[in-house]
Amino acid sequence: MAASQLTGRVALITGAGRGIGRATALALAQAGADVAVVARSSAELEQTAALVQAQHRRSAAVVCDVGSHQAVRDVTARVQQLLGAINVLVNNAAVLEPLGPSATIDPQAWAQGLNINLTGAFRCIQAVLAGMLERGWGRIVNVTAGMPPTGLPHASAYSVSKAGLDMLTRHLGAELVGRGVTVNSVWPGAVKTRMLAAFRTSRGAGWRSTDLNPAEPARLIARLVASDRTGEIVDLHGPGGRQLLES
C-alpha cells in the first residue's frame, strides 16, 4: 500500500505533544492522513495540531491520560466524532519513572509505570481494534525501545513495560494475521527527546552514542503504516529499518 493511499485515513497518536509523537503526526499528515493527537499537556498538543493543519490535513488535539481506561474510551469516541473512524494507531505515550534501584522502588510507582507504558497501550489498541476489524483495515505501531538485553539500569519498570509491548506486538501479529490489521513495533534507539535528556541527567547514560532527530523514527513509522508487514519488531538501526527507509 503506497503512502499516498493514506489520504482520508484517520490516525490517532498518543504522546504526541513533542518528540517522536509530534514528528510522527507530521509524517503521517504529509502522507495524507488526518491526525488526532493525544497527550496530557494541552499546550503542546495544540502546537502539534497546528503543525498538522499547516500540512492541509484535519487535526484534533485531545487531552488524555492513557493510564485511565475510561479516559481512553472517551478520547477514542471523541476523535471518531471529530474526524471519523480511526484507521491508524501509534502507541507512543510512555514514562520513564520510577527510576532507582529495584530493591527500593515503590511497588505502586512501578506498577503505575507499567500501567501507562504497557496496559495503556493495550487500552488504546482494544478501543480501536474492533472497528478496524469490522472495516477490514487497520495499522497499529507500538514505539518501544531497542535497549540492551540487560535493560536500562535503574529503569526496570520502563524496560519491562517496553519488552512486554514487544511481546504484545508479536502476539497480535499472529492473532490478527489475514484480517487486514497489522501490528508492528519500532525500536528507535536514542533519539533527541526530553525523556532521554532526563534519563541522562539522572543516570548519566543512554542507549547509543549518537542521538537521532525524532523525524527519523517518524519516517520509519510512516513507512510501516503504509506497508502490509505485521508482527515485526523493526530496529531503526538494523537491516529491516534501513531497508524500509530506503525503499
Side-chain angles (χ1 to χ4, degrees):
M1 177 177 178
S4 61
Q5 291 180 275
L6 289 176
T7 300
R9 306 279 190 185
V10 174
L12 187 156
I13 304 171
T14 68
R18 57 180 184 266
I20 295 173
R22 175 176 287 184
T24 301
L26 292 177
L28 293 182
Q30 290 163 2
D34 297 323
V35 185
V37 292
V38 172
R40 292 183 290 182
S41 170
S42 60
E44 291 177 332
L45 281 180
E46 293 295 344
Q47 293 170 4
T48 302
L51 292 170
V52 169
Q53 290 162 2
Q55 301 294 321
H56 307 291
R57 304 308 310 172
R58 296 185 302 153
S59 185
V62 188
V63 174
C64 176
D65 179 359
V66 300
S68 163
H69 176 73
Q70 189 58 51
V72 168
R73 303 298 296 187
D74 290 346
V75 79
T76 52
R78 180 63 175 157
V79 168
Q80 291 180 98
Q81 181 183 47
L82 293 172
L83 299 180
I86 298 167
N87 312 111
V88 177
L89 169 66
V90 179
N91 277 315
N92 178 64
V95 296
L96 268 172
E97 297 80 9
L99 296 174
S102 297
T104 57
I105 286 176
D106 179 356
Q108 290 186 337
W110 198 89
Q112 179 62 4
L114 267 68
N115 180 45
I116 294 171
N117 296 354
L118 178 55
T119 309
F122 179 75
R123 287 187 186 100
C124 293
I125 291 169
Q126 195 172 61
V128 302
L129 184 55
M132 290 179 175
L133 290 171
E134 183 178 346
R135 293 184 295 274
W137 196 94
R139 297 292 183 267
I140 298 169
V141 179
N142 299 315
V143 180
T144 57
M147 62 187 67
T150 55
L152 289 180
H154 293 254
S156 62
Y158 183 82
S159 299
V160 169
S161 64
K162 290 300 187 178
L165 194 50
D166 280 337
M167 183 54 70
L168 179 61
T169 294
R170 289 191 177 101
H171 169 82
L172 289 173
E175 180 180 312
L176 302 174
V177 67
R179 303 188 67 183
V181 178
T182 68
V183 187
N184 295 285
S185 283
V186 165
W187 285 0
V191 179
K192 294 177 182 176
T193 64
R194 190 181 302 176
M195 179 182 288
L196 182 57
F199 180 74
R200 284 192 168 135
T201 298
S202 171
R203 305 306 314 170
W207 287 282
R208 302 178 192 271
S209 59
T210 302
D211 297 350
L212 294 179
N213 186 289
E216 285 297 294
R219 285 202 306 125
L220 178 58
I221 291 167
R223 290 297 178 91
L224 273 175
V225 167
S227 78
D228 293 322
R229 299 169 67 156
T230 191
E232 297 186 25
I233 298 171
V234 184
D235 184 350
L236 177 62
H237 302 270
R242 304 321 300 179
Q243 180 184 23
L244 262 175
L245 287 174
E246 293 165 5
S247 63

